[in-house]
């Protein structure tokens, strides 16, 4: 685990280009900014090549798309591949809505993603493993999440992050797990979206080792959430979300090293 990648983000301020969803776009932009990278969002297909050109990573969020946006997402993914920019996808609710799964698979057949970041319900759907996903949430299932994540990574030839109480990160062979976090993340819609785009920021400074970038992003994000939760007297989702932004900006590598739990 190379926690020092956090300092590299803060030193080099990489540009992370996002297709976001209208629900969480502000949190995603501020989360990227707070951790030390530079967000830019796009809604116009005509600017795709130029946008990808100025970016150091691309994050595609499938949280709320219409047909014209699917064309835009496709163009963005293809441009990221053509311009050799790291590409992350967040397949929101593909476990709950069959149309979304079809669109996500169709897109991923036409470009190669470097990292997929989703919860157990989403990753199980992309691995074709039985799971009872619930809307945008993970839902429930009794398969081993490590095996689910490995199957998805092998199927899609990329790094997979299956997030949850324990985050599982795998390239299909090697597996890392992050045990940090807080249930308060679940009370803030968009925690997952923020993580996916922050994975993009870590990929941007990773020299092409996206497995390491993905692990480190999970460790940093989950640990910072845990730091915040540890400071609260009771469950306060509003305070958590504001303090999360503060600590994404303020937390040091040493703060994270003190509480980091992973294997
Ligand atoms: N029960 C939990 N305990 C500790 N940490 C958690 C728990 N559930 C989720 N997390 C953390 O929350 C963050 C977001 O992951 P999550 O799996 O909730 O994404 P998601 O389901 O896509 O969320 P969203 O609803 O925002 O799209 C990750 O850092 C993960 O480690
Ligand atoms: C609530 C919700 N609906 C579509 S996207 C989204 C935010 C989580 O991605
Ligand atoms: Mg999500």
């Amino acid at each position: 685990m190379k926690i020092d990648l956090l300092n590299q983000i803060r030193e080099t301020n990489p540009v992370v280009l996002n297709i976001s969803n209208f629900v969480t776009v502000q949190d995603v932009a501020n989360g990227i900014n707070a951790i030390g990278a530079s967000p830019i969002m796009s809604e116009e297909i005509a600017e795709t090549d130029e946008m990808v050109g100025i970016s150091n990573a691309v994050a595609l969020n499938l949280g709320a798309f219409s047909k014209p946006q699917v064309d835009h997402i496709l163009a963005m993914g293809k441009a990221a591949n053509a311009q050799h920019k790291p590409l992350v996808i967040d397949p929101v609710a593909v476990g709950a809505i069959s149309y979304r799964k079809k669109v996500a698979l169709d897109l991923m057949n036409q470009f190669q993603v470097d990292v997929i970041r989703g919860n157990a319900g989403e990753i199980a759907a992309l691995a074709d493993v039985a799971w009872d996903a619930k809307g945008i949430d993970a839902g429930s299932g009794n398969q081993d999440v490590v095996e689910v994540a490995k199957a998805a990574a092998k199927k899609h030839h990329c790094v997979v992050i299956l997030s949850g109480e324990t985050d599982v990160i795998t390239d299909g062979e090697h597996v890392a797990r992050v045990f940090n976090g807080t249930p308060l993340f679940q009370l803030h819609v968009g925690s997952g979206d923020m993580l996916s785009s922050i994975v993009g920021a870590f990929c941007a400074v990773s020299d092409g080792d996206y497995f390491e970038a993905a692990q480190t992003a999970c460790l940093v994000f989950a640990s910072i959430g845990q730091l915040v939760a540890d400071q609260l007297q009771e469950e306060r989702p509003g305070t958590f979300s504001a303090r999360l932004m503060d600590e994404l900006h303020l937390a040091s590598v040493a703060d994270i090293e003190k509480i980091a739990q992973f294997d």
Side-chain angles (χ1 to χ4, degrees):
M1 203 72 78
K2 218 169 148 190
I3 308 180
D4 186 58
L5 288 177
L6 175 59
N7 288 334
Q8 287 190 46
I9 291 175
R10 290 170 174 169
E11 279 156 25
T12 63
N13 190 225
V15 173
V16 182
L17 170 60
N18 303 271
I19 298 246
S20 290
N21 66 64
F22 68 90
V23 184
T24 64
V25 56
Q26 186 89 54
D27 266 324
V28 171
N30 278 320
I32 292 169
N33 222 28
I35 205 164
S38 174
I40 187 162
M41 275 58 182
S42 173
E43 291 210 329
E44 172 51 55
I45 194 167
E47 65 191 14
T48 300
D49 284 342
E50 207 179 343
M51 273 281 182
V52 173
I54 63 147
S55 300
N56 303 107
V58 178
L60 305 175
N61 185 295
L62 305 186
F65 54 78
S66 58
K67 281 211 173 107
Q69 283 168 316
V70 174
D71 294 339
H72 188 197
I73 295 166
L74 177 60
M76 199 97 114
K78 284 184 169 173
N81 284 177
Q83 298 187 43
H84 307 290
K85 303 294 170 87
L87 183 60
V88 181
I89 199 164
D90 184 331
V92 180
V94 293
I97 308 290
S98 60
Y99 174 72
R100 285 188 179 215
K101 180 175 170 183
K102 186 186 157 305
V103 170
L105 291 178
D106 193 40
L107 286 166
M108 287 196 290
N109 275 333
Q110 295 177 78
F111 52 66
Q112 177 61 52
V113 297
D114 296 301
V115 184
I116 303 173
R117 199 296 310 168
N119 59 41
E122 293 157 351
I123 301 302
L126 297 182
D128 281 323
V129 168
W131 196 275
D132 193 13
K134 184 177 181 197
I136 62 163
D137 295 330
S140 54
N142 44 29
Q143 312 282 339
D144 176 4
V145 285
V146 170
E147 293 310 315
V148 171
K150 281 170 89 172
K154 282 186 187 141
K155 215 177 186 94
H156 299 284
H157 310 287
C158 63
V159 172
V160 163
I161 298 170
L162 187 161
S163 60
E165 186 177 354
T166 297
D167 295 332
V168 177
I169 305 96
T170 179
D171 59 5
E173 303 238 329
H174 312 93
V175 177
R177 293 183 302 171
V178 168
F179 302 106
N180 297 95
T182 165
L184 278 168
F185 275 125
Q186 292 171 299
L187 291 178
H188 180 76
V189 173
S191 301
D193 299 343
M194 247 192 269
L195 172 59
S196 298
S197 287
I198 285 174
V199 168
F202 279 85
C203 287
V205 295
S206 73
D207 270 336
D209 188 342
Y210 302 135
F211 179 52
E212 181 164 73
Q215 289 171 53
T216 312
C218 289
L219 179 71
V220 167
F221 189 70
S223 297
I224 289 177
Q226 185 178 321
L227 275 175
V228 172
D230 288 348
Q231 293 161 3
L232 298 177
Q233 309 294 330
E234 54 198 334
E235 283 206 329
R236 290 177 179 267
T239 311
F240 174 72
S241 133
R243 291 281 299 118
L244 181 63
M245 288 299 172
D246 292 345
E247 290 300 330
L248 284 171
H249 182 68
L250 295 171
S252 65
V253 167
D255 293 332
I256 294 160
E257 274 169 349
K258 264 181 232 153
I259 61 164
Q261 283 186 293
F262 58 91
D263 66 10

